[in-house]
Amino acid sequence: MLKINAWKSWKEKEKEKVFSFAEEYRNFISENKTERKFVDASVELAKKAGFKNISTMKKIEAGDRIFKVNKNKQVIFGKIGRIPIEEETRFIVAHIDAPRLDLKPNPVYEDEGMVFLKTRYYGGIKKYHWLTIPLALYGTAVIKTGEKKIIEIGDKPDDPVFTITDLLPHLSKDQFKKTIEEGFPGESLNVVAATIPLDDDKDPVKKNLFSILKDRYGISEEDLISSEFEVVPAGQARDLGFDRSLILGYGQDDRVCSYTCFRALIDTKENERSMFCVLVDQEEIGSYGSTSAQSAFFQFFIEELLQKTGSKKSLRDVYENSRAISADVSSLFDPGFKEAYDPRNAARIHHGVCVERTTGGRGKAGSTEPTAEYIAWIRKIFDENKIHWQSSELGKIEQGGGGTVATFFARLNIPTIDCGTGVISMHAPFEVTSKADIYSTYLAYKTFYTAK
Ligand code: MN
Ligand code: MN
């Protein structure tokens, strides 16, 4: 374990690589703020690199580059090696959803000449973070014919944005007395959407808004029931700090790991064994749905592979002889909140990718706990390849905790370890990461794909 700040060990040439990789990452997360957009953009990049949809392939053999998409929101990419997949395979799994506000099925209401959109928050957020910041809206509405209407407003330079208002401090005597939990109920996260009325008696602003939506996008109020609208922070991810050492951006949990493991797969030369990048949705809400890590999609994908590679072996063989990384973020020690961390087991900024043995909370509740043997192998391959990495835990035992998709791969009997980038202000509208840690994560994933 290189227990040093990565900037101290890298020469100029390496630093240039760190900055240029970070720029590509920054652009990617600025342009792809939803799981649908992440899937579309990554598939497009993969196709350029020669990846083919396995649904269109009758046979799969060594050297093939493949992918399979599930319902536009989950995707698996793979490079097929010479060794049969049932003998040795590597998986890196990351999630591409992020905390946000979703519009409710009946979101639109008018009050005092203003129209608002009611939201339901998705994932664990501090609700007050979402007040008074510019917000963008990404939506896919599907009308009854099955036709999709795509709406994206708030991230192009000339676009309008949206916001959730807050009470002025001058009148906040009562609000100041409330706890944070009491002060910001979920039902108060209502987005300002329009204020110009039609010449009509009842709900004139709402009527005007729907005439705009009908004209521009062809959607009615009822169409919103069959839609997915995500409210996310507006604006690009940015370099942070005079030295540009950090990135401030939305959705870095877990696009920092999903982007780096996707790029690691794309950039790694074919080797003996097969390697896969598995990108899942719905992690932030417990991984219950058909596009989540618990979906049978993964199993069906492996079955399809076995069939198309002509193998007579079973899923059991593949799982038993595979190794996995659950690529998800960890929490970086934040000097502003020292009391929440165990300093001896906290991840430090610029000290490389985090290897988290224990997730969960309190008495390891919900933790996946890989074996000492598996961790020893991870240590070996990272050290042999001079990866900046650190052993870390989220924070103090009784302060909380968190789980990852590691659970759903470990339960298939695949050795699985949590390994990802450290984040400050995790789950805030704009999260902070270190470019040194992002690059270390990318190198760690490449090492995992290729090391013996
Ligand atoms: Mn995560
Ligand atoms: Mn998360």
Side-chain angles (χ1 to χ4, degrees):
M1 177 161 31
L2 299 165
K3 275 192 175 173
I4 49 165
N5 188 311
W7 296 109
K8 290 186 184 169
S9 79
W10 283 331
K11 305 253 158 28
E12 273 321 302
K13 234 182 160 176
E14 280 163 308
K15 287 181 190 166
E16 277 169 29
K17 282 191 204 161
V18 174
F19 280 108
S20 87
F21 185 85
E23 193 175 331
E24 291 172 52
Y25 164 67
R26 182 164 47 65
N27 291 333
F28 189 89
I29 62 165
S30 298
E31 284 160 20
N32 299 294
K33 292 185 179 177
T34 69
E35 50 288 326
R36 282 175 186 267
K37 288 185 76 79
F38 195 114
V39 167
D40 290 349
S42 56
V43 165
E44 199 176 305
L45 287 173
K47 278 182 176 166
K48 280 187 193 142
F51 283 70
K52 286 191 214 131
N53 188 337
I54 64 165
S55 309
T56 66
M57 301 165 79
K58 286 210 172 68
K59 255 179 75 181
I60 293 170
E61 48 198 22
D64 281 343
R65 300 172 168 200
I66 58 168
F67 72 88
K68 190 174 176 80
V69 175
N70 184 18
K71 300 174 182 65
N72 307 305
K73 299 168 82 165
Q74 177 183 14
V75 60
I76 303 177
F77 297 99
K79 286 185 173 175
I80 307 300
R82 256 191 319 102
I83 302 172
I85 54 161
E86 63 270 21
E87 285 177 25
E88 209 189 343
T89 293
R90 302 274 158 88
F91 296 103
I92 304 184
V93 192
H95 68 93
I96 52 175
D97 59 320
R100 59 179 190 250
L101 308 176
D102 286 343
L103 293 195
K104 290 192 179 195
N106 289 300
V108 186
Y109 73 96
E110 180 167 344
D111 194 1
E112 294 290 334
M114 295 174 77
V115 160
F116 297 90
L117 307 174
K118 290 203 70 67
T119 65
R120 177 146 190 176
Y121 62 95
Y122 173 102
I125 61 165
K126 286 182 163 177
K127 285 165 260 175
Y128 66 86
H129 284 164
W130 292 76
L131 275 50
T132 72
I133 61 169
L135 298 166
L137 192 61
Y138 286 86
T140 301
V142 184
I143 62 173
K144 282 197 277 185
T145 60
E147 193 191 335
K148 274 186 207 175
K149 311 284 187 182
I150 308 292
I151 300 177
E152 298 181 3
I153 310 173
D155 271 327
K156 290 189 195 75
D158 294 338
D159 277 356
V161 293
F162 302 91
T163 201
I164 297 166
T165 59
D166 194 8
L167 190 59
L168 61 168
H170 318 63
L171 296 177
S172 292
K173 184 162 156 280
D174 291 345
Q175 188 193 44
F176 286 149
K177 284 186 201 144
K178 292 179 184 169
T179 62
I180 289 173
E181 203 171 352
E182 290 164 352
F184 306 96
E187 294 295 345
S188 70
L189 297 179
N190 302 318
V191 175
V192 176
T195 56
I196 295 178
L198 278 186
D199 188 14
D200 199 314
D201 289 341
K202 195 168 177 285
D203 291 343
V205 182
K206 183 174 164 180
K207 285 194 177 109
N208 192 29
L209 171 62
F210 275 108
S211 85
I212 293 170
L213 291 179
K214 195 85 205 168
D215 286 353
R216 276 189 214 157
Y217 307 105
I219 58 171
S220 66
E221 186 165 12
E222 272 199 17
D223 293 331
L224 294 178
I225 293 172
S226 53
S227 74
E228 295 165 10
F229 273 89
E230 303 186 7
V231 179
V232 298
Q236 307 277 300
R238 307 289 293 265
D239 285 348
L240 173 62
F242 283 111
D243 54 9
R244 296 180 172 261
S245 56
L246 308 169
I247 286 181
L248 178 72
Y250 166 68
Q252 299 201 69
D253 172 9
D254 186 30
R255 293 184 192 127
V256 67
C257 298
S258 39
Y259 179 79
T260 45
C261 74
F262 170 69
R263 276 292 306 272
L265 182 83
I266 295 281
D267 299 347
T268 300
K269 286 204 187 77
E270 269 76 359
N271 58 58
E272 301 175 302
R273 73 187 74 76
S274 300
M275 47 193 168
F276 297 91
C277 163
V278 182
L279 303 179
V280 298
D281 178 28
Q282 296 177 317
E283 191 276 344
E284 295 293 359
I285 53 171
S287 301
Y288 295 106
S290 64
T291 53
S292 76
Q294 291 202 79
S295 162
F297 176 72
F298 177 71
Q299 179 189 320
F300 296 161
F301 173 81
I302 303 296
E303 281 174 351
E304 188 172 349
L305 268 185
L306 285 169
Q307 196 193 19
K308 290 185 173 173
T309 53
S311 170
K312 297 278 179 295
K313 298 285 185 171
S314 65
L315 284 174
R316 186 185 63 204
D317 300 298
V318 179
Y319 294 160
E320 270 181 5
N321 298 311
S322 296
R323 291 173 189 196
I325 278 181
S326 161
D328 206 342
V329 295
S330 190
S331 161
L332 278 186
F333 187 81
D334 182 343
F337 300 94
K338 287 188 174 131
E339 63 285 356
Y341 298 87
D342 164 13
R344 297 187 59 77
N345 284 284
R348 295 313 203 284
I349 196 161
H350 303 323
H351 279 61
V353 67
C354 303
V355 173
E356 229 177 284
R357 191 175 84 186
T358 304
T359 55
R362 302 172 310 281
K364 299 195 174 183
S367 178
T368 308
E369 293 282 295
T371 61
E373 287 87 343
Y374 190 47
I375 303 168
W377 176 74
I378 289 283
R379 283 176 59 203
K380 178 172 114 34
I381 63 165
F382 285 179
D383 284 347
E384 280 174 358
N385 290 281
K386 303 211 163 26
I387 302 297
H388 285 275
W389 71 278
Q390 50 188 328
S391 162
S392 74
E393 288 195 342
L394 198 68
K396 270 189 183 159
I397 294 169
E398 274 101 13
Q399 276 301 317
T404 68
V405 297
T407 317
F408 312 119
F409 293 84
R411 77 160 57 134
L412 301 175
N413 199 23
I414 304 175
T416 306
I417 190 159
D418 281 291
C419 173
T421 317
V423 173
I424 295 178
S425 306
M426 195 194 294
H427 282 209
F430 297 98
E431 301 169 310
V432 178
T433 54
S434 135
K435 291 183 180 179
D437 295 337
I438 295 168
Y439 195 67
S440 299
T441 305
Y442 166 70
L443 295 180
Y445 294 162
K446 278 180 105 173
T447 295
F448 175 80
Y449 279 137
T450 52
K452 280 220 157 67

